[in-house]
Amino acid sequence: MKKINQFKILLLMASIMSFLTACNVSSTGKDTAKKAKTAQIVKKPKFKDTPTLYFHGLMGSYKNEEPLVNAAKRAQKSNSIIRANVDDHGKVKLKGTIKKNAKNPIVEVNFKDNVQPNFSRNGTYASNVVKALQKKYYINKVNMVGYSLGNMAIMYYMIQNGNKKKMPKLVKQVSIAGHYDGAYFKELPPGFRQPKGLKLDKNGKPNKMNQTYKEMLAARPIYQKNKVKILNIYGDVGNNSDGVVEIPSALSLKYLTPNSDYHLAKFTGVKADHGGLPNNPKVIQKIIEFLW
């Protein structure tokens, strides 16, 4: 009789344990489903228009970006300007706030490390800026303007993030005086220097590629998959260059960006030199018309 009672007690305990386990599984299943549902919720951007990021050139700062920014404000194309300060460790601090009703917000990107020869590092800086904006404003797309070295930040941003679904997509890209296949200075390392006798075929493919250009070939399948509208601005001061970058190097962007909606804009005369292009009123007007 005693053994029978012990058996009943064990049976009852087993039943209780089974019930509790079932409840726990059910609860866990609901929690998992709830978490999955929460993860699927995509927060809407805090403003409607696409933000435009401007990347300055070698030894530059946000001050070099202000001619375009001020012109956009005067033309009433933008009413919201903030700055993204990036320290030499890549940490981003946003200065200013983009309001909900912002019209074509502009982000002046300011690299403290403005002589960075590692172009991939420049891409990481650009990525960090975009991530900071995404975290604060839930953006899902961007426009980018690059001047000289700033163009490398854009290209390597695309190489690093162009195929990542969770990263904001590049919609419009403006290149000013880009040195994609290098510039020719004896002081430059061979990997950055423009090859002698550089020529392009009808598709913009260089007959010679420096080390950096070969690395940037990784961008080709990304642009092929993600169509971007591009404006490539270059200057000609009469010697097949803007005084710093030869025209073939600037135009070699085309081969790196297949399937893009690609536009060229050539400038000559006053302020068509490398340093003058970002301050050229005609260049600025062309950019404003292209972006907005």
Side-chain angles (χ1 to χ4, degrees):
M1 186 70 179
K2 189 176 181 181
K3 290 184 178 180
I4 294 174
N5 288 336
Q6 288 178 343
F7 176 76
K8 287 181 177 180
I9 291 171
L10 289 172
L11 185 63
L12 178 61
M13 290 178 65
S15 298
I16 292 172
M17 290 298 294
S18 178
F19 174 76
L20 291 175
T21 302
C23 288
N24 185 56
V25 170
S26 177
S27 176
T28 303
K30 288 179 180 179
D31 289 344
T32 303
K34 186 177 181 180
K35 288 179 181 178
K37 186 177 181 181
T38 302
Q40 289 174 1
I41 296 174
V42 178
K43 294 183 179 181
K44 293 183 179 180
K46 291 187 177 181
F47 45 83
K48 181 181 177 182
D49 292 345
T50 304
T52 297
L53 283 62
Y54 193 164
F55 299 92
H56 59 74
L58 181 71
M59 299 182 69
S61 73
Y62 74 93
K63 293 180 180 180
N64 303 110
E65 302 158 4
E66 293 195 324
L68 171 61
V69 171
N70 292 333
K73 288 194 293 185
R74 287 194 301 269
Q76 297 183 349
K77 296 296 183 180
S78 177
N79 63 4
S80 184
I81 316 297
I82 69 167
R83 191 180 310 152
N85 292 317
V86 185
D87 68 19
D88 48 14
H89 298 291
K91 186 176 180 180
V92 179
K93 185 174 182 179
L94 299 177
K95 184 177 181 180
T97 302
I98 301 176
K99 296 181 180 179
K100 186 176 180 180
N101 62 346
K103 181 179 181 181
N104 299 323
I106 300 174
V107 182
E108 298 176 324
V109 181
N110 188 53
F111 290 163
K112 183 178 180 181
D113 183 10
N114 60 5
V115 291
Q116 176 56 251
N118 184 338
F119 296 157
S120 179
R121 184 68 176 164
N122 288 317
T124 300
Y125 293 162
S127 301
N128 291 350
V129 171
V130 174
K131 289 175 182 177
L133 293 168
Q134 186 183 42
K135 182 178 181 180
K136 186 171 183 178
Y137 299 107
Y138 313 129
I139 62 170
N140 53 26
K141 55 186 177 178
V142 292
N143 299 326
M144 291 184 173
V145 179
Y147 165 61
S148 193
L149 182 63
N151 289 296
M152 299 299 104
I154 298 175
M155 293 305 297
Y156 278 87
Y157 170 83
M158 285 297 284
I159 291 171
Q160 294 169 11
N161 304 285
N163 283 331
K164 294 180 180 178
K165 293 182 179 180
K166 292 184 179 181
M167 286 295 286
K169 297 300 179 183
L170 181 60
V171 180
K172 293 182 180 181
Q173 175 179 346
V174 178
S175 170
I176 310 169
H179 46 79
Y180 297 96
D181 205 0
Y184 192 76
F185 289 110
K186 292 181 180 179
E187 294 79 11
L188 286 175
F192 302 153
R193 200 179 303 161
Q194 178 186 307
K196 289 184 178 180
L198 179 62
K199 295 180 181 179
L200 308 179
D201 67 13
K202 63 180 181 179
N203 297 315
K205 183 178 181 179
N207 62 335
K208 299 178 182 179
M209 302 178 185
N210 67 14
Q211 179 185 337
T212 301
Y213 195 91
K214 290 177 181 177
E215 289 178 2
M216 289 192 293
L217 290 175
R220 279 179 52 79
I222 296 171
Y223 278 91
Q224 181 68 46
K225 184 179 178 181
N226 303 278
K227 191 170 185 177
V228 179
K229 189 172 184 179
I230 296 174
L231 174 62
N232 189 1
I233 294 172
Y234 67 100
D236 186 354
V237 294
N239 57 353
N240 201 39
S241 80
D242 63 11
V244 174
V245 178
E246 291 190 9
I247 293 175
S249 182
L251 300 191
S252 65
L253 171 63
K254 182 179 180 180
Y255 186 69
L256 295 173
T257 58
N259 195 39
S260 60
D261 184 1
Y262 184 84
H263 303 263
L264 272 178
K266 176 182 177 180
F267 290 87
T268 59
V270 179
K271 291 188 177 180
D273 61 292
H274 191 78
L277 284 170
N279 306 300
N280 187 324
K282 293 181 179 179
V283 170
I284 291 171
Q285 183 58 35
K286 186 73 175 178
I287 294 172
I288 289 174
E289 291 172 357
F290 176 79
L291 289 174
W292 306 297

